[in-house]
Amino acid sequence: MPNEGSFAESLKRSDEIRADFDVHPDRYVMLTGDRPTGRLHIGHYFGTLAERVELQNRGIKTNIVIADYQVITDRDTTEHIADNVINLVIDYLACGIDPEKTLIFTHSAVPELNQLMLPFLSLVSEAELLRNPTVKAEQEASGHALTGLLLTYPVHQACDILFCKGNVVPVGKDQLPHIELTRLIARRFNERYADVFPEPEGILSDAIEVPGLDGRKMSKSYGNGILLSATPEETAKLIRKSPTDSERTITFDPESRPGVSALLTTASLCCGKTPEQIADEIGDKGCGALKEFVTDTVNDYLAPIRARRRELEEDLPRIHDILAEGNAKAREIAVTTLDEVRSAMGMVY
Ligand code: TRP
């Protein structure tokens, strides 16, 4: 994959686009997505969900793919997938995603999106696919052989973005290689056939990354993240068990006190004070007092989201309807794009 510039350049470009969101909201179509592999945690909330809600409310066309086919890129089971998909929709709505403004759909319900995979695969070489650092890292972490789907899912992700002519994609650093590949595919298609696709840009989040409660990266598989769907008691228990130290004076020092600092960062995001301010206020009352403060702050912050979650859980038929409507709408868009693609390729008989 050609490296089209440094991370600093991507960041600069991303800041320019952000500044333009307010000026020309109608120029942007955003697409983003999640794999339905479990419940969302506060890392997702502060990392991307809050921003999606903000962009949606600023009038930017927002699309969210629940990437169900991406679940089987590096694992060989679809256990709990239906439950995960429904709970993802519940998490979105509870956080303020409005299905009137934001399109929510699953891969598996949109055949025409998946069909873009055929022409797109013809536009990339094996070497370009093998060079993707994120795919390599995911394959190593999975302990599985490199499957054909894991190797080619970045192309599938290009289908997600391009079927709706998405031109902005909020991403973490690890997804930048996928955006580069999407741009390459769009450019090659347009050059070879006809001008059909935009060249999307990655929008890098300026949100602070929420560390897991043990100071490691927050991850579903480490179980070190506070779930939006957890009860206040479960939250308290998770925080109580989080590893800290026996130093009584609380200080913010991510290098040498990762556990204490992760707790401070978490509380800081939920109450608006800086981690240092919170540390000063707790002073020499020790980690027990810190954990109590964090528990109360997080539970207070999440209370309205959790209350909405409970209401939504009571009305599952509505959740299924919202998804069905999103899927139907996504399909309409995909049919139109696939028609354009077939016509650009002369495949109209
Ligand atoms: N790979 C993304 C993740 O694991 C999810 C995803 C699927 C996505 N398709 C996408 C993100 C398209 C951005 C654009 O979180």
Side-chain angles (χ1 to χ4, degrees):
M1 209 166 313
N3 180 2
E4 268 189 275
S6 62
F7 179 65
E9 271 170 52
S10 302
L11 200 59
K12 183 164 164 273
R13 186 77 196 108
S14 155
D15 285 343
E16 285 166 5
I17 295 170
R18 261 176 205 290
D20 196 44
F21 279 162
D22 276 332
V23 191
H24 302 108
D26 49 312
R27 283 190 190 164
Y28 297 98
V29 177
M30 184 193 106
L31 179 118
T32 178
D34 300 290
R35 298 180 196 211
T37 52
R39 304 288 178 272
L40 295 182
H41 51 55
I42 57 169
H44 296 115
Y45 181 80
F46 290 110
T48 100
L49 284 173
E51 176 167 57
R52 291 181 199 174
V53 173
E54 201 195 309
L55 294 183
Q56 155 202 282
N57 292 341
R58 277 206 250 167
I60 289 164
K61 232 178 151 346
T62 309
N63 304 296
I64 303 180
V65 57
I66 297 179
D68 53 357
Y69 273 133
Q70 236 183 60
V71 169
I72 48 170
T73 49
D74 61 355
R75 63 187 80 198
D76 40 28
T77 172
T78 51
E79 216 187 346
H80 308 305
I81 197 156
D83 188 48
N84 289 342
V85 167
I86 292 305
N87 274 283
L88 209 46
V89 179
I90 294 177
D91 276 334
Y92 294 152
L93 302 183
C95 290
I97 294 287
D98 175 355
E100 297 288 317
K101 296 182 182 147
T102 293
L103 181 68
I104 305 172
F105 66 97
T106 57
H107 276 148
S108 58
V110 191
E112 294 78 7
L113 177 160
N114 295 306
Q115 193 172 325
L116 292 176
M117 191 75 174
L118 286 161
F120 286 4
L121 278 171
S122 76
L123 298 168
V124 289
S125 71
E126 181 192 18
E128 282 164 342
L129 293 171
L130 284 167
R131 219 180 284 151
N132 187 311
T134 304
V135 168
K136 263 190 217 161
E138 283 169 333
Q139 189 260 314
E140 277 161 24
S142 77
H144 285 52
L146 180 63
T147 65
L149 187 60
L150 182 55
L151 179 65
T152 54
Y153 93 84
V155 181
H156 195 219
Q157 208 157 293
C159 304
D160 296 342
I161 299 168
L162 296 175
F163 95 99
C164 62
K165 311 219 173 149
N167 58 7
V168 282
V169 187
V171 285
K173 223 170 155 178
D174 65 324
Q175 298 282 308
L176 278 177
H178 302 349
I179 304 295
E180 283 309 325
L181 183 74
T182 303
R183 292 169 63 81
L184 188 73
I185 288 172
R187 199 176 322 128
R188 286 185 183 159
F189 186 94
N190 293 346
E191 277 165 9
R192 199 170 292 183
Y193 302 107
D195 205 1
V196 174
F197 295 111
E199 277 188 45
E201 310 259 8
I203 302 297
L204 289 153
S205 172
D206 51 10
I208 312 172
E209 196 174 306
V210 194
L213 286 175
D214 51 4
R216 288 191 289 175
K217 186 178 159 57
M218 191 180 289
S219 156
K220 285 175 194 164
S221 50
Y222 296 155
N224 60 357
I226 299 162
L227 300 182
L228 301 177
S229 56
T231 62
E233 295 71 33
E234 287 163 345
T235 305
K237 193 168 162 205
L238 196 69
I239 293 174
R240 212 176 309 123
K241 278 194 327 199
S242 70
T244 46
D245 53 43
S246 53
E247 175 68 52
R248 285 209 62 82
T249 306
I250 302 303
T251 51
F252 183 62
D253 183 353
E255 281 295 305
S256 59
R257 303 184 77 182
V260 167
S261 303
L263 287 170
L264 288 166
T265 304
T266 303
S268 159
L269 287 160
C270 295
C271 76
K273 294 180 190 168
T274 66
E276 290 83 358
Q277 262 172 321
I278 300 169
D280 280 350
E281 281 169 27
I282 297 183
D284 60 3
K285 293 201 215 72
C287 289
L290 171 65
K291 287 184 173 179
E292 243 171 72
F293 176 79
V294 178
T295 303
D296 291 345
T297 312
V298 169
N299 280 337
D300 282 352
Y301 187 87
L302 293 179
I305 294 177
R306 287 171 170 167
R308 273 198 298 275
R309 240 195 151 273
R310 277 193 304 275
E311 269 171 42
L312 293 159
E313 275 171 350
E314 298 284 300
D315 195 358
L316 289 183
R318 181 168 160 234
I319 305 297
H320 284 277
D321 282 352
I322 287 172
L323 191 56
E325 275 167 37
N327 284 338
K329 184 104 188 295
R331 209 160 167 203
E332 266 174 43
I333 300 171
V335 165
T336 306
T337 303
L338 186 62
D339 276 347
E340 282 179 61
V341 162
R342 276 193 295 238
S343 134
M345 296 174 77
M347 292 176 169
V348 182
Y349 317 113

